[in-house]
Amino acid sequence: MDNLLSAERVEAIIHAGLPEAEAIRVRVESVGNGQASIRIPFSPRMLRPGERVSGPTLFAAIDTAMYAVVLAHIGEKPMAVTSDINLHFLRACAPRDIIAEARILKLGKRLAVMSVSVGAVDEPPAVHATGSYSLPPD
Amino acid sequence: MDNLLSAERVEAIIHAGLPEAEAIRVRVESVGNGQASIRIPFSPRMLRPGERVSGPTLFAAIDTAMYAVVLAHIGEKPMAVTSDINLHFLRACAPRDIIAEARILKLGKRLAVMSVSVGAVDEPPAVHATGSYSLPPD
Amino acid sequence: MDNLLSAERVEAIIHAGLPEAEAIRVRVESVGNGQASIRIPFSPRMLRPGERVSGPTLFAAIDTAMYAVVLAHIGEKPMAVTSDINLHFLRACAPRDIIAEARILKLGKRLAVMSVSVGAVDEPPAVHATGSYSLPPD
Amino acid sequence: MDNLLSAERVEAIIHAGLPEAEAIRVRVESVGNGQASIRIPFSPRMLRPGERVSGPTLFAAIDTAMYAVVLAHIGEKPMAVTSDINLHFLRACAPRDIIAEARILKLGKRLAVMSVSVGAVDEPPAVHATGSYSLPPD
């Protein structure tokens, strides 16, 4: 894992590949050995009634964090695709910046497995997720 | 299950409760014994690069279909909350209207369990999902 | 899918590969286009207190049904391995023969995705499961 | 959480409630604030061909660890039931004692959510699981 991409490089690849308003705003906060952390700055568009962050926004943060950690570790190859994601909803998510921290549980030849904690900054996680990416053959 | 809400009633409740642009456009196509089907009309905002429908859009369709089928069967109570969702991604989703069909696997006192198939209209499903809602006490 | 293995052949491969008392008793009831059904004859060893079938027994039935349906469709290759399984528990399982019906949702080059319904014969399903197998490269 | 049951008490309740050979051998190694750890001593009955621990054995360890941590924190009430479990298989499990460590992610009134790491003692985890228990009303 000594060829880890930098947080700046991963962020640039995400912005180049996903040219949507939401994606452009994603910040890759850190990349480390087996982990990556992203932030989505708060926007009123994220909200559902009751002033909490919507499920689709949390899902987007989870999928982006998984993408970031895989990308950082396998580099810029024709890309892995999401195979499955399991989400457990723990509590409502306050209307603040969203932080998603992904951790690699397995990085095999054919499959990467990750867990992700996501929620409002400085709050306990709103969702715990586990998922896998199917990796391209060499 | 003889007190099933109509598709029109379920659609009106969803529109009243979720006053976002996306939600307003959701149509509840059918409600039946143990099932409900929703449609999200196509919009370019749904797309990711490669002209396929994004994961967060498919997630939103799944969650809305689960909400619709639960609402139709338990009626307008202080609402159930999503407990968990498991998604398996089967294939890319073409840029068309999205159809999500939810089926109740269990409707207990404390928990409802549903499966959902979601994808582009007239195409095989892009995602198969299973999830549960925690139900309010009477 | 015209090279489908027969139910008898799949059963023989399972018995040869898993020489445990429980596995030996597994019967492959049917194999069809995209589906397979297995039966585990009742044994008192399957039970938990309360005279219901235990979780590990239901898990074994689910995994065996997924294995059977994959085997029937891809044939006797150096084998696929279970990647993930998601189980939703729907109701207690009566002390009778166990039937597990697996259905292929996707059969790709790298990944097979299946859903499984499992429960006591002639009863509604006790568990709904979805899972995937990582497939060997050719 | 100051009324935490002790590891000895949780082990005694498990043995009383699940009088199977396998369950009797389960040891509750520790109980702490939001966590519990169990051990299943090695037995050749746990093995599959290839000398690795079987899926049903790992599933049993996961479910037992989730039960132990819930029991320790909510005490001896008419019991919670497993609602869902998601398993990601990370690597083969060596033929040794099995350790399963459960951690509470949420302890609500109606639902408890836990993550579990399980594998051979002194080895990296073979399976990462997340699941929930539906809790009895007071």
Side-chain angles (χ1 to χ4, degrees):
Chain A
M1 300 202 178
D2 28 32
N3 293 322
L4 214 57
L5 299 189
S6 69
E8 293 72 21
R9 186 79 195 104
V10 170
E11 185 174 303
I13 296 170
I14 290 174
H15 288 190
L18 297 173
E20 306 142 41
E22 209 67 90
I24 291 290
R25 302 175 72 244
V26 167
R27 300 209 297 260
V28 178
E29 301 251 291
S30 69
V31 160
N33 192 2
Q35 70 87 19
S37 178
I38 65 139
R39 175 187 294 247
I40 305 182
F42 177 72
S43 146
R45 280 185 306 164
M46 293 176 175
L47 297 181
R48 293 177 74 110
E51 296 297 297
R52 53 199 181 86
V53 173
S54 73
T57 301
L58 295 171
F59 178 88
I62 290 164
D63 201 23
T64 303
M66 297 203 319
Y67 181 90
V69 77
V70 168
L71 193 57
H73 288 78
I74 71 169
E76 291 182 74
K77 300 186 191 161
M79 193 49 198
V81 295
T82 312
S83 166
D84 71 274
I85 301 186
N86 183 256
L87 303 90
H88 277 87
F89 294 84
L90 307 175
R91 55 188 64 78
C93 184
R96 304 166 71 164
D97 286 7
I98 301 304
I99 302 285
E101 299 183 333
R103 190 164 59 90
I104 290 180
L105 299 173
K106 172 190 177 162
L107 185 54
K109 285 185 187 171
R110 291 186 265 163
L111 209 68
V113 183
M114 284 80 64
S115 69
V116 183
S117 281
V118 62
V121 62
D122 297 333
E123 298 271 348
V127 178
H128 177 83
T130 315
S132 63
Y133 267 58
S134 186
L135 302 180
D138 284 327
Chain B
M1 300 202 178
D2 29 31
N3 292 322
L4 214 58
L5 299 189
S6 69
E8 293 72 20
R9 186 78 195 104
V10 171
E11 185 174 304
I13 296 169
I14 290 174
H15 288 190
L18 298 174
E20 305 144 39
E22 209 67 272
I24 289 289
R25 303 175 70 244
V26 168
R27 299 209 298 258
V28 177
E29 300 250 291
S30 70
V31 160
N33 192 2
Q35 70 88 18
S37 177
I38 66 139
R39 175 188 293 249
I40 304 182
F42 177 72
S43 148
R45 281 185 306 164
M46 292 176 177
L47 297 182
R48 293 177 74 112
E51 296 298 295
R52 56 199 179 85
V53 173
S54 73
T57 301
L58 295 171
F59 179 87
I62 290 163
D63 201 23
T64 303
M66 297 203 320
Y67 181 89
V69 79
V70 168
L71 193 58
H73 287 79
I74 72 168
E76 290 182 74
K77 300 185 191 163
M79 193 49 201
V81 295
T82 312
S83 165
D84 71 274
I85 301 185
N86 184 257
L87 303 90
H88 278 87
F89 294 83
L90 308 175
R91 54 188 65 78
C93 184
R96 305 166 70 164
D97 286 7
I98 300 305
I99 302 286
E101 299 183 333
R103 192 164 58 90
I104 290 180
L105 299 173
K106 172 191 176 161
L107 185 53
K109 284 184 187 172
R110 291 186 265 164
L111 209 67
V113 184
M114 284 80 63
S115 69
V116 183
S117 282
V118 62
V121 63
D122 297 332
E123 299 271 347
V127 178
H128 177 84
T130 313
S132 64
Y133 267 58
S134 187
L135 303 180
D138 284 327
Chain C
M1 301 201 177
D2 29 32
N3 292 322
L4 214 58
L5 299 189
S6 69
E8 293 71 20
R9 185 80 195 103
V10 171
E11 185 174 305
I13 296 169
I14 290 174
H15 288 191
L18 298 173
E20 306 143 39
E22 209 67 270
I24 290 290
R25 302 175 72 241
V26 168
R27 299 209 296 260
V28 177
E29 300 250 292
S30 70
V31 160
N33 192 2
Q35 70 87 20
S37 178
I38 65 139
R39 175 188 292 248
I40 305 183
F42 177 73
S43 147
R45 281 186 305 166
M46 292 174 175
L47 297 181
R48 294 177 73 111
E51 295 297 296
R52 56 200 181 84
V53 172
S54 73
T57 301
L58 296 170
F59 178 87
I62 289 163
D63 200 23
T64 304
M66 297 203 321
Y67 181 90
V69 79
V70 168
L71 193 57
H73 288 78
I74 72 168
E76 290 182 75
K77 300 185 191 162
M79 192 50 198
V81 295
T82 312
S83 165
D84 71 274
I85 301 185
N86 183 257
L87 302 91
H88 277 88
F89 294 84
L90 307 175
R91 54 188 65 78
C93 184
R96 304 166 71 164
D97 286 8
I98 300 306
I99 302 286
E101 299 183 334
R103 191 165 60 89
I104 290 179
L105 298 173
K106 172 190 177 162
L107 185 53
K109 285 184 187 170
R110 290 186 266 164
L111 208 68
V113 183
M114 284 80 62
S115 70
V116 183
S117 281
V118 61
V121 62
D122 297 333
E123 298 272 346
V127 178
H128 177 82
T130 314
S132 63
Y133 267 57
S134 187
L135 302 181
D138 285 326
Chain D
M1 301 202 180
D2 29 32
N3 292 323
L4 214 58
L5 298 189
S6 68
E8 294 71 21
R9 185 77 195 107
V10 171
E11 185 174 305
I13 295 170
I14 290 174
H15 288 191
L18 297 174
E20 306 143 41
E22 209 69 89
I24 291 289
R25 302 176 70 242
V26 169
R27 298 207 298 259
V28 177
E29 301 251 291
S30 69
V31 161
N33 192 3
Q35 70 87 20
S37 177
I38 65 139
R39 175 188 292 247
I40 305 182
F42 176 71
S43 147
R45 281 185 305 165
M46 292 175 175
L47 297 181
R48 291 176 75 112
E51 296 297 295
R52 55 199 179 86
V53 173
S54 73
T57 301
L58 295 170
F59 178 87
I62 290 163
D63 201 23
T64 303
M66 296 204 319
Y67 181 90
V69 78
V70 168
L71 194 58
H73 288 79
I74 73 169
E76 291 181 74
K77 299 184 191 163
M79 193 49 199
V81 295
T82 312
S83 166
D84 71 274
I85 301 185
N86 183 256
L87 303 91
H88 277 88
F89 294 84
L90 308 175
R91 54 187 66 79
C93 184
R96 305 167 69 163
D97 285 7
I98 301 304
I99 302 286
E101 299 183 334
R103 191 164 60 91
I104 290 180
L105 299 173
K106 173 193 175 158
L107 185 54
K109 284 184 187 170
R110 292 186 265 164
L111 209 67
V113 183
M114 284 80 63
S115 69
V116 183
S117 282
V118 62
V121 61
D122 297 332
E123 299 271 346
V127 178
H128 177 83
T130 314
S132 62
Y133 267 58
S134 187
L135 302 180
D138 285 328

